[in-house]
Amino acid sequence: MRYLVLSDIHSNLEALEQVLEAARDHFDRVVCLGDLVGYGPDPNAVVAKVRQISSVVIRGNHDKACCGLSSALDFNPLARLATLWTRQQLSPEHLEYLRQLPEGPGSCDGFRMVHGSVKDEDEYIVNLDHAFKEAPEDSAPITFFGHTHLQGGFVLTPEGVGKVIDATVGPEAGTSRLTLRPENRYLINPGSVGQPRDRDWRAAFAIFDHEKQRLEYYRTPYDLPKTQEKMLQAGLPAQLIARLEFGR
Ligand code: ZN
C-alpha cells in the first residue's frame, strides 16, 4: 500500500489540487495530519475534498479553533483574524465534520499520525533534542507529524544517535527519497501543502510505500497568484497573502 501523506493544507485549494495531480498514480490511500483549514481562502472546498479522498484524518489546532472547539485567543492576531473569517465561511455540515475529527495520535497500517507531537497536538517539534524525548517505552517505529510546516523530520538509531533528515528538494527537482530501516525510529514531516514555512513556496507532501519501506518527499509549484487573488477578494490580511510566496 502506498500512502499519500498530507498536512497543513490550510484552505489552499489550488495547492491541494496540484498535489493530487502531481501524486496521481503514485498512491493508493490518503491520510491527513490535520489543519485542513485556517489562513487560506477555500475552507469549504478543501474540507469537502479531504473528506472525499482521505482514509484517515486527525484534527489540527486550526481545525479545532475554526470549528469553535477552542478559542483562537492563543493565536497571533493575523491567525486569529483568519480563524474568525473561516468560522463564518464554513457550512454547518463542514463545521460539524471538523468538530468530530479525532485528536491524534491516530494510527494506520502500523504507523502513527500526530498533528503536533505524540503528547500534545499543539506542540511544535522543531529540533532533535525535542524530537525523541517521549517515554522510552514508546517505541513506535514510524510517526508522521505536521504543525511546523517544515518538510523533513528526524531519525533515531538503536544506539540512540539522532539525526535530522535532509529532505531538501532542489529547485528543479520534484522529489527526494529515503529508505526506512527497520531498526530505526522515525519522525517524519511531509511538509505543508498550503502554507510552507521552509523558504520554499512550493506545495509539500510525502508518499510512503509501506511494502518497500520507502519515503519520498515532494515539492510541486501551484497556481499561487490565483490563491493570493482569492485571499485579496476575501479581505484576508496582506501579510498572510504575501508570506505564501516566500514560503515562510
Ligand atoms: Zn498548520
Side-chain angles (χ1 to χ4, degrees):
M1 190 71 76
R2 298 164 304 169
Y3 293 91
L4 171 59
V5 187
L6 306 178
S7 192
D8 299 283
I9 303 165
H10 285 295
S11 305
N12 188 332
L13 183 64
E14 284 70 37
L16 176 61
E17 286 181 336
Q18 175 54 36
V19 161
L20 295 174
E21 178 60 29
R24 198 155 55 112
D25 302 329
H26 296 288
F27 67 92
D28 306 298
R29 294 176 81 185
V30 179
V31 296
C32 178
L33 310 177
D35 278 4
L36 285 64
V37 297
Y39 294 123
D42 282 306
N44 284 303
V46 165
V47 170
K49 193 77 191 168
V50 171
R51 280 178 79 170
Q52 179 202 336
I53 62 174
S54 302
S55 303
V56 186
V57 184
I58 57 167
R59 75 180 182 198
N61 56 320
H62 284 260
D63 302 323
K64 209 169 41 169
C66 288
C67 72
L69 281 182
S70 64
S71 75
L73 291 175
D74 56 334
F75 285 8
N76 70 54
L78 296 179
R80 195 181 315 142
L81 253 168
T83 299
L84 299 178
W85 180 86
T86 303
R87 207 181 279 169
Q88 287 169 354
Q89 300 297 313
L90 282 164
S91 70
E93 187 193 347
H94 290 155
L95 279 168
E96 188 49 38
Y97 172 77
L98 293 176
R99 282 191 195 113
Q100 59 76 47
L101 278 180
E103 179 180 355
S107 69
C108 182
D109 210 355
F111 62 82
R112 190 163 55 178
M113 303 165 51
V114 301
H115 183 66
S117 75
V118 172
K119 290 207 178 106
D120 182 355
E121 61 191 338
D122 291 353
E123 185 177 27
Y124 291 91
I125 303 178
V126 288
N127 59 44
L128 197 52
D129 288 345
H130 193 172
F132 295 104
K133 71 169 187 164
E134 327 90 288
E137 68 272 14
D138 170 28
S139 57
I142 302 171
T143 302
F144 288 96
F145 72 104
H147 196 39
T148 62
H149 299 208
L150 306 173
Q151 193 175 44
F154 308 93
V155 55
L156 186 71
T157 69
E159 297 78 36
V161 179
K163 270 198 299 199
V164 175
I165 296 170
D166 178 14
T168 310
V169 180
E172 299 304 321
T175 64
S176 86
R177 187 177 280 184
L178 178 73
T179 299
L180 306 186
R181 304 175 63 93
E183 67 272 22
N184 290 343
R185 287 173 60 200
Y186 293 89
L187 275 165
I188 292 165
N189 192 325
S192 167
V193 171
Q195 197 206 69
R197 295 178 191 163
D198 43 15
R199 297 173 191 272
D200 182 344
W201 68 274
R202 297 174 297 173
F205 63 99
I207 290 177
F208 174 53
D209 186 322
H210 192 266
E211 274 71 42
K212 295 183 178 147
Q213 288 292 296
R214 193 176 67 196
L215 184 82
E216 286 177 315
Y217 292 101
Y218 283 77
R219 297 309 276 247
T220 184
Y222 68 96
D223 192 346
L224 173 64
K226 188 170 173 186
T227 305
Q228 290 181 312
E229 178 58 28
K230 287 185 186 174
M231 290 175 78
L232 194 65
Q233 294 302 327
L236 286 160
Q239 295 96 316
L240 294 182
I241 300 174
R243 72 185 294 179
L244 289 177
E245 66 198 68
F246 303 110
R248 50 178 301 191

